[in-house]
Amino acid sequence: VNQILLLLLVLTVCAILYNKVHQAPSALKNETVDLESPEEMEEEIPVVICAAAGRMGAAVAAINSIYSNTEANVLFYIVGLKTTIPHIRKWIENSKLKEIKFKVVEFNPMVLKGKIRQDASRPELLQPLNFVRFYLPLLIQKHEKVIYLDDDIIVQGDIQELYETKLAPGHAAAFSDDCDLPSTHEVVRSVGMQNTYMGFLDYRKQAIRDLGISPSTCSFNPGLIVANMTEWKHQRITKQLEKWMQRNVEENLYSSTLGGGVATSPMLIVFHDKYSSINPMWHIRHLGWSPDTRYSEHFLQEAKLLHWNGRYKPWDYPSVHTDLWETWFIPDPSGKFKLTRPDS
């Protein structure tokens, strides 16, 4: 009996030691899985911005303002043409922005062939990168939600707050209404800017009247977009935009002599009554519409985002509120891009 008990005791001890030895790696493995669990990882905020020839300093300042004002995990998609990509990459990698997370994406202007009506009055509005916003799902593959920004923008708030903008069910995008902020109305009136559909579409054309959209309907500004990529693809937004671009080539339904040029108008048609709204303080606009008209400094300090839409850009002269823009500008290490100032 004693021998049997002793044998059982030895077997029990061996079993305990076996379990300890073989369970230890399993526990470590589970711990590693927990540490790398997607639920534990910070959500990535994709921000799309274009780097166009002659105005790359604008993209750099915009990126710097976003990066400096947030702790969020931002991934910048910097879109350029084949000829401009080396310059913007070198600028970023040789400045304080070398710490940012970014991907450089080449935009092929051939996708626009036959879709843009040539217009000599404002040729800068016909540049290929103005239409990048039409093709977001083709450029950005893995994200459900994306922020698109024009380059003439400075972000003073935390981009995380903008990213959390709620989009209503069935809406592919959120924009800023041009009638949304009383503080901007005086500026709009003083520079004679249009903020209704009449300022963008030619209501003399039957195709425009057939849309059934009142010419007094408030327009919106697509220089800032919070987009739902799933809805965008489901509704075939890019195809719809291309359809109106091609119709404009054939019928001249809108032109750059009107308010927003040729990139805003098709978006106004496709997204009419089908978009969510962005907080007005997240898009203070029209800073580039006059070299003289200014907002109050207090109002601009409270703003989350400033947009120099219009002809008068803060890296050129004349322009207004350039001090707020220059705070975020990083000089070009190659020396190619220079600010235009009265004493330069």
Side-chain angles (χ1 to χ4, degrees):
V1 173
N2 289 338
Q3 288 179 339
I4 293 172
L5 289 174
L6 181 60
L7 181 60
L8 290 172
L9 179 61
V10 171
L11 290 172
T12 302
V13 171
C14 289
I16 291 170
L17 290 173
Y18 179 90
N19 286 335
K20 284 189 175 181
V21 169
H22 287 273
Q23 284 179 4
S26 178
L28 290 174
K29 184 178 179 183
N30 288 340
E31 214 169 63
T32 304
V33 170
D34 288 341
L35 288 172
E36 295 180 353
S37 172
E39 288 77 18
E40 297 292 324
M41 296 174 68
E42 188 180 7
E43 185 177 13
E44 211 166 51
I45 298 178
V47 174
V48 179
I49 192 162
C50 295
R55 46 194 290 164
M56 285 189 196
V60 167
I63 292 168
N64 187 28
S65 71
I66 295 167
Y67 176 66
S68 301
N69 286 307
T70 187
E71 296 295 325
N73 181 22
V74 180
L75 173 60
F76 293 96
Y77 284 87
I78 303 170
V79 186
L81 302 179
K82 188 174 184 178
T83 54
T84 62
I85 284 174
H87 186 187
I88 191 67
R89 187 185 290 280
K90 182 178 178 182
W91 197 330
I92 290 171
E93 292 175 349
N94 289 277
S95 72
K96 63 178 280 190
L97 294 181
K98 63 188 176 194
E99 303 296 331
I100 70 172
K101 289 173 61 178
F102 74 100
K103 293 182 179 180
V104 175
V105 181
E106 181 183 341
F107 182 69
N108 184 356
M110 289 304 294
V111 301
L112 301 173
K113 188 175 181 180
K115 301 183 183 76
I116 301 177
R117 185 184 184 88
Q118 294 304 310
D119 193 319
S121 59
R122 290 193 66 186
E124 74 276 12
L125 296 177
L126 304 178
Q127 296 302 313
L129 294 182
N130 281 338
F131 301 92
V132 162
R133 72 198 87 187
F134 289 15
Y135 297 94
L136 292 177
L138 302 182
L139 299 167
I140 314 301
Q141 302 290 338
K142 67 173 186 174
H143 301 283
E144 167 71 13
K145 198 174 186 182
V146 171
I147 295 173
Y148 166 87
L149 297 173
D150 276 355
D151 60 2
D152 50 357
I153 275 175
I154 289 296
V155 174
Q156 300 186 138
D158 187 340
I159 199 75
Q160 177 81 47
E161 183 182 328
L162 178 63
Y163 185 71
E164 291 170 358
T165 298
K166 300 294 184 187
L167 273 68
H171 285 177
F175 302 101
S176 299
D177 292 307
D178 283 330
C179 308
D180 61 6
L181 200 62
S183 307
T184 67
H185 292 174
E186 184 57 41
V187 170
V188 171
R189 282 194 295 269
S190 68
V191 298
M193 180 185 164
Q194 291 285 344
N195 60 359
T196 64
Y197 272 57
M198 172 144 329
F200 296 87
L201 305 177
D202 188 348
Y203 275 83
R204 295 171 300 179
K205 301 295 172 68
Q206 188 62 44
I208 297 300
R209 294 198 299 272
D210 287 345
L211 291 169
I213 303 173
S214 168
S216 62
T217 300
C218 185
S219 54
F220 59 79
N221 187 298
L224 168 61
I225 309 171
V226 180
N228 180 318
M229 293 291 91
T230 300
E231 281 295 337
W232 193 292
K233 288 181 277 192
H234 175 70
Q235 297 179 32
R236 299 169 60 87
I237 296 295
T238 298
K239 289 294 183 186
Q240 292 188 58
L241 291 167
E242 287 184 326
K243 182 191 82 171
W244 283 102
M245 292 169 74
Q246 287 167 332
R247 289 199 66 175
N248 183 57
V249 170
E250 298 160 5
E251 303 174 50
N252 196 20
L253 305 176
Y254 50 84
S255 75
S256 57
T257 57
L258 296 172
V262 293
T264 296
S265 300
M267 298 199 86
L268 290 178
I269 295 171
V270 171
F271 284 101
H272 173 250
D273 213 21
K274 296 177 186 173
Y275 66 92
S276 299
S277 295
I278 292 172
N279 181 332
M281 294 305 289
W282 264 102
H283 199 176
I284 303 305
R285 316 185 273 298
H286 320 315
L287 276 75
W289 275 84
S290 167
D292 305 309
T293 306
R294 302 173 66 92
Y295 288 106
S296 77
E297 293 299 325
H298 175 73
F299 175 66
L300 293 182
Q301 292 295 335
E302 294 294 315
K304 304 280 189 178
L305 182 148
L306 305 175
H307 188 181
W308 279 263
N309 58 312
R311 295 173 184 263
Y312 302 98
K313 304 301 185 185
W315 55 90
D316 281 334
Y317 181 84
S319 55
V320 295
H321 303 297
T322 54
D323 55 324
L324 293 174
W325 183 86
E326 276 194 56
T327 298
W328 307 107
F329 174 67
I330 299 173
D332 183 0
S334 72
K336 294 177 184 175
F337 181 94
K338 293 182 175 64
L339 302 182
T340 304
R341 294 294 180 256
D343 53 352
S344 62

